[in-house]
PDB file of all heavy atoms in Angstrom:
ATOM      1  N   ALA A  49      -9.210  -3.399   1.846  1.00 38.00           N
ATOM      2  CA  ALA A  49     -10.634  -3.700   1.822  1.00 38.00           C
ATOM      3  C   ALA A  49     -10.936  -5.130   2.100  1.00 38.00           C
ATOM      4  O   ALA A  49     -10.079  -5.970   2.056  1.00 38.00           O
ATOM      5  CB  ALA A  49     -11.179  -3.431   0.334  1.00 38.00           C
ATOM      6  N   LEU A  57     -10.055  -3.627 -11.563  1.00 50.00           N
ATOM      7  CA  LEU A  57     -10.980  -2.492 -11.652  1.00 50.00           C
ATOM      8  C   LEU A  57     -11.337  -2.360 -13.119  1.00 50.00           C
ATOM      9  O   LEU A  57     -10.499  -2.116 -13.979  1.00 50.00           O
ATOM     10  CB  LEU A  57     -10.213  -1.165 -11.238  1.00 50.00           C
ATOM     11  CG  LEU A  57      -9.505  -1.239  -9.932  1.00 50.00           C
ATOM     12  CD1 LEU A  57      -8.850   0.121  -9.694  1.00 50.00           C
ATOM     13  CD2 LEU A  57     -10.395  -1.646  -8.831  1.00 50.00           C
ATOM     14  N   ARG A  60     -14.743   1.256 -17.083  1.00 67.00           N
ATOM     15  CA  ARG A  60     -15.939   2.072 -16.972  1.00 67.00           C
ATOM     16  C   ARG A  60     -16.952   1.223 -16.309  1.00 67.00           C
ATOM     17  O   ARG A  60     -17.440   0.208 -16.913  1.00 67.00           O
ATOM     18  CB  ARG A  60     -16.372   2.511 -18.340  1.00 67.00           C
ATOM     19  CG  ARG A  60     -17.845   2.943 -18.498  1.00 67.00           C
ATOM     20  CD  ARG A  60     -18.312   3.956 -17.532  1.00 67.00           C
ATOM     21  NE  ARG A  60     -17.766   5.301 -17.637  1.00 67.00           N
ATOM     22  CZ  ARG A  60     -17.565   6.143 -16.638  1.00 67.00           C
ATOM     23  NH1 ARG A  60     -17.947   5.777 -15.401  1.00 67.00           N
ATOM     24  NH2 ARG A  60     -17.114   7.361 -16.864  1.00 67.00           N
ATOM     25  N   ARG A  61     -17.336   1.532 -15.123  1.00 79.00           N
ATOM     26  CA  ARG A  61     -18.446   0.786 -14.445  1.00 79.00           C
ATOM     27  C   ARG A  61     -19.730   1.703 -14.370  1.00 79.00           C
ATOM     28  O   ARG A  61     -19.634   2.883 -14.715  1.00 79.00           O
ATOM     29  CB  ARG A  61     -18.027   0.165 -13.131  1.00 79.00           C
ATOM     30  CG  ARG A  61     -17.068   1.011 -12.409  1.00 79.00           C
ATOM     31  CD  ARG A  61     -16.764   0.382 -11.047  1.00 79.00           C
ATOM     32  NE  ARG A  61     -16.903   1.363  -9.943  1.00 79.00           N
ATOM     33  CZ  ARG A  61     -16.536   1.126  -8.747  1.00 79.00           C
ATOM     34  NH1 ARG A  61     -16.113  -0.066  -8.329  1.00 79.00           N
ATOM     35  NH2 ARG A  61     -16.687   2.045  -7.812  1.00 79.00           N
ATOM     36  N   ARG A  63     -22.595   4.167 -13.230  1.00 93.00           N
ATOM     37  CA  ARG A  63     -22.508   5.237 -12.351  1.00 93.00           C
ATOM     38  C   ARG A  63     -23.425   5.094 -11.148  1.00 93.00           C
ATOM     39  O   ARG A  63     -24.343   4.406 -11.164  1.00 93.00           O
ATOM     40  CB  ARG A  63     -22.835   6.514 -13.132  1.00 93.00           C
ATOM     41  CG  ARG A  63     -21.708   6.965 -14.154  1.00 93.00           C
ATOM     42  CD  ARG A  63     -21.988   8.350 -14.589  1.00 93.00           C
ATOM     43  NE  ARG A  63     -20.947   8.928 -15.447  1.00 93.00           N
ATOM     44  CZ  ARG A  63     -20.857   8.628 -16.720  1.00 93.00           C
ATOM     45  NH1 ARG A  63     -21.737   7.908 -17.283  1.00 93.00           N
ATOM     46  NH2 ARG A  63     -19.925   9.167 -17.402  1.00 93.00           N
ATOM     47  N   ILE A  64     -23.136   5.921 -10.098  1.00 93.00           N
ATOM     48  CA  ILE A  64     -23.948   6.046  -8.920  1.00 93.00           C
ATOM     49  C   ILE A  64     -25.182   6.886  -9.220  1.00 93.00           C
ATOM     50  O   ILE A  64     -26.316   6.564  -8.906  1.00 93.00           O
ATOM     51  CB  ILE A  64     -23.187   6.552  -7.770  1.00 93.00           C
ATOM     52  CG1 ILE A  64     -21.964   5.693  -7.455  1.00 93.00           C
ATOM     53  CG2 ILE A  64     -24.054   6.758  -6.496  1.00 93.00           C
ATOM     54  CD1 ILE A  64     -20.757   6.412  -6.854  1.00 93.00           C
ATOM     55  N   ARG A  82     -36.457  28.337 -19.863  1.00 69.00           N
ATOM     56  CA  ARG A  82     -35.176  27.978 -20.310  1.00 69.00           C
ATOM     57  C   ARG A  82     -35.029  26.488 -20.761  1.00 69.00           C
ATOM     58  O   ARG A  82     -34.027  25.907 -20.632  1.00 69.00           O
ATOM     59  CB  ARG A  82     -34.168  28.269 -19.109  1.00 69.00           C
ATOM     60  CG  ARG A  82     -34.018  29.713 -18.768  1.00 69.00           C
ATOM     61  CD  ARG A  82     -32.802  29.996 -17.944  1.00 69.00           C
ATOM     62  NE  ARG A  82     -32.406  31.410 -17.986  1.00 69.00           N
ATOM     63  CZ  ARG A  82     -31.290  31.816 -17.558  1.00 69.00           C
ATOM     64  NH1 ARG A  82     -30.431  31.041 -17.015  1.00 69.00           N
ATOM     65  NH2 ARG A  82     -30.950  33.137 -17.789  1.00 69.00           N
ATOM     66  N   GLN A 116     -32.120  44.294 -19.823  1.00 96.00           N
ATOM     67  CA  GLN A 116     -30.809  44.798 -20.164  1.00 96.00           C
ATOM     68  C   GLN A 116     -30.145  43.942 -21.292  1.00 96.00           C
ATOM     69  O   GLN A 116     -29.343  44.499 -22.090  1.00 96.00           O
ATOM     70  CB  GLN A 116     -29.920  44.888 -18.875  1.00 96.00           C
ATOM     71  CG  GLN A 116     -30.495  46.004 -17.926  1.00 96.00           C
ATOM     72  CD  GLN A 116     -29.603  46.351 -16.875  1.00 96.00           C
ATOM     73  OE1 GLN A 116     -28.382  46.117 -16.927  1.00 96.00           O
ATOM     74  NE2 GLN A 116     -30.136  46.819 -15.752  1.00 96.00           N
ATOM     75  N   THR A 134     -19.334  49.323  -3.921  1.00 98.00           N
ATOM     76  CA  THR A 134     -18.400  48.326  -4.333  1.00 98.00           C
ATOM     77  C   THR A 134     -16.944  48.822  -4.031  1.00 98.00           C
ATOM     78  O   THR A 134     -16.128  48.005  -3.558  1.00 98.00           O
ATOM     79  CB  THR A 134     -18.539  48.067  -5.764  1.00 98.00           C
ATOM     80  OG1 THR A 134     -19.936  47.609  -6.025  1.00 98.00           O
ATOM     81  CG2 THR A 134     -17.546  46.929  -6.195  1.00 98.00           C
ATOM     82  N   SER A 163     -18.651  46.931   4.627  1.00 97.00           N
ATOM     83  CA  SER A 163     -18.281  46.358   3.414  1.00 97.00           C
ATOM     84  C   SER A 163     -19.364  45.498   2.787  1.00 97.00           C
ATOM     85  O   SER A 163     -20.015  44.695   3.516  1.00 97.00           O
ATOM     86  CB  SER A 163     -16.997  45.499   3.498  1.00 97.00           C
ATOM     87  OG  SER A 163     -16.739  44.755   2.343  1.00 97.00           O
ATOM     88  N   TRP A 307     -59.802  33.663   2.834  1.00 95.00           N
ATOM     89  CA  TRP A 307     -60.242  33.605   4.262  1.00 95.00           C
ATOM     90  C   TRP A 307     -61.229  32.442   4.513  1.00 95.00           C
ATOM     91  O   TRP A 307     -61.150  31.672   5.366  1.00 95.00           O
ATOM     92  CB  TRP A 307     -60.907  34.941   4.563  1.00 95.00           C
ATOM     93  CG  TRP A 307     -61.696  34.905   5.874  1.00 95.00           C
ATOM     94  CD1 TRP A 307     -61.182  35.025   7.144  1.00 95.00           C
ATOM     95  CD2 TRP A 307     -63.083  34.620   6.022  1.00 95.00           C
ATOM     96  NE1 TRP A 307     -62.169  34.860   8.082  1.00 95.00           N
ATOM     97  CE2 TRP A 307     -63.329  34.630   7.425  1.00 95.00           C
ATOM     98  CE3 TRP A 307     -64.118  34.416   5.156  1.00 95.00           C
ATOM     99  CZ2 TRP A 307     -64.611  34.336   7.919  1.00 95.00           C
ATOM    100  CZ3 TRP A 307     -65.356  34.167   5.637  1.00 95.00           C
ATOM    101  CH2 TRP A 307     -65.592  34.123   7.015  1.00 95.00           C
ATOM    102  N   GLU A 308     -62.125  32.396   3.536  1.00 94.00           N
ATOM    103  CA  GLU A 308     -63.280  31.362   3.659  1.00 94.00           C
ATOM    104  C   GLU A 308     -62.705  29.973   3.660  1.00 94.00           C
ATOM    105  O   GLU A 308     -63.055  29.155   4.439  1.00 94.00           O
ATOM    106  CB  GLU A 308     -64.044  31.577   2.371  1.00 94.00           C
ATOM    107  CG  GLU A 308     -65.477  31.196   2.376  1.00 94.00           C
ATOM    108  CD  GLU A 308     -66.145  31.597   1.063  1.00 94.00           C
ATOM    109  OE1 GLU A 308     -65.562  31.401  -0.013  1.00 94.00           O
ATOM    110  OE2 GLU A 308     -67.196  32.305   1.154  1.00 94.00           O
ATOM    111  N   SER A 346     -56.385  40.651  10.246  1.00 92.00           N
ATOM    112  CA  SER A 346     -55.744  40.005  11.409  1.00 92.00           C
ATOM    113  C   SER A 346     -55.863  38.532  11.251  1.00 92.00           C
ATOM    114  O   SER A 346     -55.437  37.801  12.149  1.00 92.00           O
ATOM    115  CB  SER A 346     -56.465  40.392  12.708  1.00 92.00           C
ATOM    116  OG  SER A 346     -57.810  40.077  12.637  1.00 92.00           O
ATOM    117  N   GLU A 349     -53.286  35.017   6.169  1.00 97.00           N
ATOM    118  CA  GLU A 349     -51.808  34.827   6.117  1.00 97.00           C
ATOM    119  C   GLU A 349     -51.389  35.175   4.636  1.00 97.00           C
ATOM    120  O   GLU A 349     -51.910  34.541   3.700  1.00 97.00           O
ATOM    121  CB  GLU A 349     -51.422  33.525   6.540  1.00 97.00           C
ATOM    122  CG  GLU A 349     -51.616  33.334   8.051  1.00 97.00           C
ATOM    123  CD  GLU A 349     -51.704  31.813   8.457  1.00 97.00           C
ATOM    124  OE1 GLU A 349     -50.731  31.128   8.539  1.00 97.00           O
ATOM    125  OE2 GLU A 349     -52.938  31.407   8.650  1.00 97.00           O
ATOM    126  N   ASN A 375     -49.371  38.298   9.238  1.00 96.00           N
ATOM    127  CA  ASN A 375     -49.982  37.281  10.032  1.00 96.00           C
ATOM    128  C   ASN A 375     -49.258  35.980  10.161  1.00 96.00           C
ATOM    129  O   ASN A 375     -49.827  34.961  10.341  1.00 96.00           O
ATOM    130  CB  ASN A 375     -51.478  37.078   9.583  1.00 96.00           C
ATOM    131  CG  ASN A 375     -52.350  38.268   9.795  1.00 96.00           C
ATOM    132  OD1 ASN A 375     -52.256  38.956  10.851  1.00 96.00           O
ATOM    133  ND2 ASN A 375     -53.185  38.567   8.774  1.00 96.00           N
ATOM    134  N   LEU A 392     -26.885  31.519   4.669  1.00 90.00           N
ATOM    135  CA  LEU A 392     -26.134  32.626   5.238  1.00 90.00           C
ATOM    136  C   LEU A 392     -26.848  33.926   4.918  1.00 90.00           C
ATOM    137  O   LEU A 392     -27.313  34.573   5.808  1.00 90.00           O
ATOM    138  CB  LEU A 392     -24.706  32.575   4.707  1.00 90.00           C
ATOM    139  CG  LEU A 392     -23.952  31.399   5.226  1.00 90.00           C
ATOM    140  CD1 LEU A 392     -22.660  31.112   4.460  1.00 90.00           C
ATOM    141  CD2 LEU A 392     -23.659  31.505   6.721  1.00 90.00           C
TER     142      LEU A 392
ATOM    143  N   ALA B  56     -70.196  33.095  -1.080  1.00 39.00           N
ATOM    144  CA  ALA B  56     -69.777  31.749  -0.699  1.00 39.00           C
ATOM    145  C   ALA B  56     -71.050  30.831  -0.477  1.00 39.00           C
ATOM    146  O   ALA B  56     -72.205  31.310  -0.367  1.00 39.00           O
ATOM    147  CB  ALA B  56     -69.048  31.786   0.694  1.00 39.00           C
ATOM    148  N   LEU B  64     -67.255  36.634  11.294  1.00 50.00           N
ATOM    149  CA  LEU B  64     -65.789  36.453  11.208  1.00 50.00           C
ATOM    150  C   LEU B  64     -65.145  36.610  12.606  1.00 50.00           C
ATOM    151  O   LEU B  64     -65.138  37.742  13.099  1.00 50.00           O
ATOM    152  CB  LEU B  64     -65.214  37.406  10.259  1.00 50.00           C
ATOM    153  CG  LEU B  64     -65.895  37.565   8.827  1.00 50.00           C
ATOM    154  CD1 LEU B  64     -65.112  38.590   7.981  1.00 50.00           C
ATOM    155  CD2 LEU B  64     -65.925  36.239   8.165  1.00 50.00           C
ATOM    156  N   VAL B  66     -62.291  37.487  15.158  1.00 57.00           N
ATOM    157  CA  VAL B  66     -61.197  38.466  14.961  1.00 57.00           C
ATOM    158  C   VAL B  66     -59.796  37.737  14.944  1.00 57.00           C
ATOM    159  O   VAL B  66     -58.862  38.137  14.189  1.00 57.00           O
ATOM    160  CB  VAL B  66     -61.222  39.609  16.060  1.00 57.00           C
ATOM    161  CG1 VAL B  66     -59.837  40.282  16.104  1.00 57.00           C
ATOM    162  CG2 VAL B  66     -62.290  40.546  15.780  1.00 57.00           C
ATOM    163  N   ARG B  67     -59.610  36.622  15.672  1.00 67.00           N
ATOM    164  CA  ARG B  67     -58.345  35.885  15.542  1.00 67.00           C
ATOM    165  C   ARG B  67     -58.714  34.455  15.527  1.00 67.00           C
ATOM    166  O   ARG B  67     -59.198  33.839  16.404  1.00 67.00           O
ATOM    167  CB  ARG B  67     -57.433  36.246  16.680  1.00 67.00           C
ATOM    168  CG  ARG B  67     -56.373  35.179  17.058  1.00 67.00           C
ATOM    169  CD  ARG B  67     -55.412  34.854  15.924  1.00 67.00           C
ATOM    170  NE  ARG B  67     -54.600  35.963  15.433  1.00 67.00           N
ATOM    171  CZ  ARG B  67     -54.116  36.020  14.151  1.00 67.00           C
ATOM    172  NH1 ARG B  67     -54.411  35.078  13.261  1.00 67.00           N
ATOM    173  NH2 ARG B  67     -53.409  37.035  13.822  1.00 67.00           N
ATOM    174  N   ARG B  68     -58.501  33.763  14.346  1.00 79.00           N
ATOM    175  CA  ARG B  68     -58.695  32.361  14.301  1.00 79.00           C
ATOM    176  C   ARG B  68     -57.362  31.637  14.164  1.00 79.00           C
ATOM    177  O   ARG B  68     -56.351  32.291  13.928  1.00 79.00           O
ATOM    178  CB  ARG B  68     -59.723  32.019  13.179  1.00 79.00           C
ATOM    179  CG  ARG B  68     -59.589  32.836  11.957  1.00 79.00           C
ATOM    180  CD  ARG B  68     -60.589  32.323  10.955  1.00 79.00           C
ATOM    181  NE  ARG B  68     -59.917  32.288   9.562  1.00 79.00           N
ATOM    182  CZ  ARG B  68     -60.649  32.057   8.498  1.00 79.00           C
ATOM    183  NH1 ARG B  68     -61.943  31.682   8.519  1.00 79.00           N
ATOM    184  NH2 ARG B  68     -59.970  32.039   7.284  1.00 79.00           N
ATOM    185  N   ARG B  70     -54.155  29.801  12.783  1.00 93.00           N
ATOM    186  CA  ARG B  70     -53.417  29.970  11.581  1.00 93.00           C
ATOM    187  C   ARG B  70     -53.336  28.773  10.733  1.00 93.00           C
ATOM    188  O   ARG B  70     -53.464  27.579  11.242  1.00 93.00           O
ATOM    189  CB  ARG B  70     -52.014  30.470  11.923  1.00 93.00           C
ATOM    190  CG  ARG B  70     -52.037  31.947  12.408  1.00 93.00           C
ATOM    191  CD  ARG B  70     -50.524  32.396  12.373  1.00 93.00           C
ATOM    192  NE  ARG B  70     -50.403  33.821  12.786  1.00 93.00           N
ATOM    193  CZ  ARG B  70     -50.435  34.294  13.989  1.00 93.00           C
ATOM    194  NH1 ARG B  70     -50.524  33.510  15.002  1.00 93.00           N
ATOM    195  NH2 ARG B  70     -50.272  35.525  14.229  1.00 93.00           N
ATOM    196  N   ILE B  71     -52.998  28.921   9.449  1.00 93.00           N
ATOM    197  CA  ILE B  71     -52.773  27.839   8.493  1.00 93.00           C
ATOM    198  C   ILE B  71     -51.378  27.254   8.707  1.00 93.00           C
ATOM    199  O   ILE B  71     -51.185  25.993   8.867  1.00 93.00           O
ATOM    200  CB  ILE B  71     -52.922  28.268   7.080  1.00 93.00           C
ATOM    201  CG1 ILE B  71     -54.400  28.816   6.842  1.00 93.00           C
ATOM    202  CG2 ILE B  71     -52.597  27.196   6.134  1.00 93.00           C
ATOM    203  CD1 ILE B  71     -54.521  29.854   5.668  1.00 93.00           C
ATOM    204  N   ARG B  89     -25.465  30.178  13.127  1.00 69.00           N
ATOM    205  CA  ARG B  89     -26.370  31.343  13.319  1.00 69.00           C
ATOM    206  C   ARG B  89     -27.510  31.010  14.299  1.00 69.00           C
ATOM    207  O   ARG B  89     -28.555  31.500  14.179  1.00 69.00           O
ATOM    208  CB  ARG B  89     -26.839  31.823  12.037  1.00 69.00           C
ATOM    209  CG  ARG B  89     -25.785  32.462  11.117  1.00 69.00           C
ATOM    210  CD  ARG B  89     -26.310  33.279   9.980  1.00 69.00           C
ATOM    211  NE  ARG B  89     -25.312  34.149   9.479  1.00 69.00           N
ATOM    212  CZ  ARG B  89     -25.531  35.090   8.667  1.00 69.00           C
ATOM    213  NH1 ARG B  89     -26.769  35.374   8.216  1.00 69.00           N
ATOM    214  NH2 ARG B  89     -24.623  36.063   8.297  1.00 69.00           N
ATOM    215  N   GLN B 123     -14.160  40.201   6.466  1.00 96.00           N
ATOM    216  CA  GLN B 123     -14.340  41.745   6.294  1.00 96.00           C
ATOM    217  C   GLN B 123     -15.118  42.309   7.425  1.00 96.00           C
ATOM    218  O   GLN B 123     -14.850  43.445   7.799  1.00 96.00           O
ATOM    219  CB  GLN B 123     -14.834  42.090   4.947  1.00 96.00           C
ATOM    220  CG  GLN B 123     -13.970  41.551   3.810  1.00 96.00           C
ATOM    221  CD  GLN B 123     -14.370  42.113   2.428  1.00 96.00           C
ATOM    222  OE1 GLN B 123     -15.014  43.136   2.259  1.00 96.00           O
ATOM    223  NE2 GLN B 123     -13.934  41.450   1.395  1.00 96.00           N
ATOM    224  N   ARG B 134     -12.046  44.692  -6.153  1.00 98.00           N
ATOM    225  CA  ARG B 134     -13.027  45.704  -6.066  1.00 98.00           C
ATOM    226  C   ARG B 134     -12.970  46.699  -7.199  1.00 98.00           C
ATOM    227  O   ARG B 134     -14.011  47.183  -7.652  1.00 98.00           O
ATOM    228  CB  ARG B 134     -12.957  46.423  -4.660  1.00 98.00           C
ATOM    229  CG  ARG B 134     -13.405  45.595  -3.548  1.00 98.00           C
ATOM    230  CD  ARG B 134     -14.745  45.001  -3.652  1.00 98.00           C
ATOM    231  NE  ARG B 134     -15.131  44.309  -2.339  1.00 98.00           N
ATOM    232  CZ  ARG B 134     -15.861  44.878  -1.431  1.00 98.00           C
ATOM    233  NH1 ARG B 134     -16.277  46.174  -1.555  1.00 98.00           N
ATOM    234  NH2 ARG B 134     -16.173  44.223  -0.393  1.00 98.00           N
ATOM    235  N   SER B 170     -23.857  43.850 -19.635  1.00 97.00           N
ATOM    236  CA  SER B 170     -24.236  44.358 -18.342  1.00 97.00           C
ATOM    237  C   SER B 170     -24.337  43.263 -17.316  1.00 97.00           C
ATOM    238  O   SER B 170     -24.814  42.128 -17.553  1.00 97.00           O
ATOM    239  CB  SER B 170     -25.655  45.064 -18.451  1.00 97.00           C
ATOM    240  OG  SER B 170     -26.146  45.424 -17.144  1.00 97.00           O
ATOM    241  N   TRP B 314     -14.373   4.526  -4.405  1.00 95.00           N
ATOM    242  CA  TRP B 314     -14.440   3.633  -5.548  1.00 95.00           C
ATOM    243  C   TRP B 314     -14.967   2.247  -5.151  1.00 95.00           C
ATOM    244  O   TRP B 314     -15.932   1.691  -5.622  1.00 95.00           O
ATOM    245  CB  TRP B 314     -13.077   3.488  -6.150  1.00 95.00           C
ATOM    246  CG  TRP B 314     -13.039   2.361  -7.117  1.00 95.00           C
ATOM    247  CD1 TRP B 314     -13.450   2.351  -8.440  1.00 95.00           C
ATOM    248  CD2 TRP B 314     -12.613   1.009  -6.948  1.00 95.00           C
ATOM    249  NE1 TRP B 314     -13.324   1.153  -9.038  1.00 95.00           N
ATOM    250  CE2 TRP B 314     -12.820   0.282  -8.049  1.00 95.00           C
ATOM    251  CE3 TRP B 314     -12.189   0.345  -5.798  1.00 95.00           C
ATOM    252  CZ2 TRP B 314     -12.571  -1.078  -8.189  1.00 95.00           C
ATOM    253  CZ3 TRP B 314     -11.797  -1.037  -5.902  1.00 95.00           C
ATOM    254  CH2 TRP B 314     -12.009  -1.701  -7.094  1.00 95.00           C
ATOM    255  N   GLU B 315     -14.406   1.785  -4.053  1.00 94.00           N
ATOM    256  CA  GLU B 315     -14.696   0.477  -3.496  1.00 94.00           C
ATOM    257  C   GLU B 315     -16.171   0.347  -3.112  1.00 94.00           C
ATOM    258  O   GLU B 315     -16.886  -0.610  -3.459  1.00 94.00           O
ATOM    259  CB  GLU B 315     -13.778   0.278  -2.229  1.00 94.00           C
ATOM    260  CG  GLU B 315     -13.587  -1.095  -1.785  1.00 94.00           C
ATOM    261  CD  GLU B 315     -12.530  -1.012  -0.673  1.00 94.00           C
ATOM    262  OE1 GLU B 315     -12.782  -0.243   0.282  1.00 94.00           O
ATOM    263  OE2 GLU B 315     -11.484  -1.651  -0.722  1.00 94.00           O
ATOM    264  N   SER B 353     -11.742   7.570 -14.366  1.00 92.00           N
ATOM    265  CA  SER B 353     -12.806   7.405 -15.277  1.00 92.00           C
ATOM    266  C   SER B 353     -14.036   6.799 -14.569  1.00 92.00           C
ATOM    267  O   SER B 353     -15.074   6.579 -15.216  1.00 92.00           O
ATOM    268  CB  SER B 353     -12.427   6.478 -16.436  1.00 92.00           C
ATOM    269  OG  SER B 353     -11.979   5.216 -15.985  1.00 92.00           O
ATOM    270  N   GLU B 356     -17.122   9.294  -9.234  1.00 97.00           N
ATOM    271  CA  GLU B 356     -17.991  10.533  -9.447  1.00 97.00           C
ATOM    272  C   GLU B 356     -17.609  11.513  -8.384  1.00 97.00           C
ATOM    273  O   GLU B 356     -17.743  11.131  -7.169  1.00 97.00           O
ATOM    274  CB  GLU B 356     -19.437  10.218  -9.503  1.00 97.00           C
ATOM    275  CG  GLU B 356     -19.869   9.389 -10.744  1.00 97.00           C
ATOM    276  CD  GLU B 356     -21.040   8.561 -10.544  1.00 97.00           C
ATOM    277  OE1 GLU B 356     -22.186   9.128 -10.565  1.00 97.00           O
ATOM    278  OE2 GLU B 356     -20.938   7.370 -10.332  1.00 97.00           O
ATOM    279  N   ASN B 382     -17.032  12.950 -14.055  1.00 96.00           N
ATOM    280  CA  ASN B 382     -17.651  11.598 -14.319  1.00 96.00           C
ATOM    281  C   ASN B 382     -19.186  11.677 -14.102  1.00 96.00           C
ATOM    282  O   ASN B 382     -19.761  10.664 -13.775  1.00 96.00           O
ATOM    283  CB  ASN B 382     -17.026  10.492 -13.474  1.00 96.00           C
ATOM    284  CG  ASN B 382     -15.634  10.122 -13.982  1.00 96.00           C
ATOM    285  OD1 ASN B 382     -15.374  10.111 -15.113  1.00 96.00           O
ATOM    286  ND2 ASN B 382     -14.786   9.904 -13.009  1.00 96.00           N
ATOM    287  N   LEU B 399     -32.861  30.637 -12.350  1.00 90.00           N
ATOM    288  CA  LEU B 399     -32.341  31.535 -13.423  1.00 90.00           C
ATOM    289  C   LEU B 399     -30.905  31.683 -13.444  1.00 90.00           C
ATOM    290  O   LEU B 399     -30.230  31.127 -14.405  1.00 90.00           O
ATOM    291  CB  LEU B 399     -32.989  33.005 -13.258  1.00 90.00           C
ATOM    292  CG  LEU B 399     -34.545  32.885 -13.491  1.00 90.00           C
ATOM    293  CD1 LEU B 399     -35.258  34.103 -12.907  1.00 90.00           C
ATOM    294  CD2 LEU B 399     -34.875  32.644 -14.951  1.00 90.00           C
TER     295      LEU B 399
END
Side-chain angles (χ1 to χ4, degrees):
Chain A
L57 312 182
R60 157 56 66 209
R61 32 178 230 188
R63 286 193 175 84
I64 298 153
R82 292 194 157 193
Q116 296 190 21
T134 303
S163 173
W307 167 81
E308 205 174 50
S346 61
E349 292 156 77
N375 290 320
L392 296 162
Chain B
L64 311 181
V66 163
R67 158 58 63 209
R68 39 178 221 186
R70 286 195 176 81
I71 298 154
R89 291 193 159 194
Q123 296 190 21
R134 291 304 188 93
S170 173
W314 167 82
E315 201 174 52
S353 62
E356 292 156 76
N382 290 321
L399 296 162

